[in-house]
Amino acid sequence: MACVSRAWLLALIAVGCGALSAGGSSLPVGAVRAGAVTRVESYGCFVRLDDCGATGLVHVSELSRERERHPDDVVAVGQPVLVKVLAPREADKTSFSLK
């Protein structure tokens, strides 16, 4: 049986991504998932995934191929989006892209 830290397990439960996978992450790099924008900030927007409830940041540089002045020009709160998983660093810190 593998040893997993208590903090890591609690973070996984809080995110709601279900069972552990072989690689320790249920969000493989490159996977495309459906979600909705939950918050828009000057540096990007936060997206909550529909299938597992994980939340991650889409940096302003990953919102569009064109340069935008503010994320509000591209997305709005509640808008459904398809995001690509860039880096699932931790259960509560994942990077996404809209490109």
Side-chain angles (χ1 to χ4, degrees), residues 14-94:
V15 171
C17 281
L20 300 174
S21 66
S25 173
S26 60
L27 296 172
V29 173
V32 177
R33 302 287 177 94
V37 176
T38 58
R39 193 169 83 210
V40 178
E41 301 290 342
S42 61
Y43 50 86
C45 69
F46 289 88
V47 174
R48 182 178 184 97
L49 299 182
D50 294 338
D51 58 352
C52 69
T55 301
L57 172 68
V58 179
H59 189 265
V60 67
S61 64
E62 295 294 333
L63 285 172
S64 173
R65 296 195 188 280
E66 291 81 34
R67 184 178 171 101
E68 300 295 339
R69 298 191 70 162
H70 195 275
D72 281 333
D73 298 337
V74 182
V75 295
V77 174
Q79 176 181 343
V81 292
L82 286 176
V83 294
K84 181 177 183 179
V85 178
L86 294 181
R89 296 177 297 214
E90 298 171 18
D92 61 342
K93 293 183 179 178
T94 303

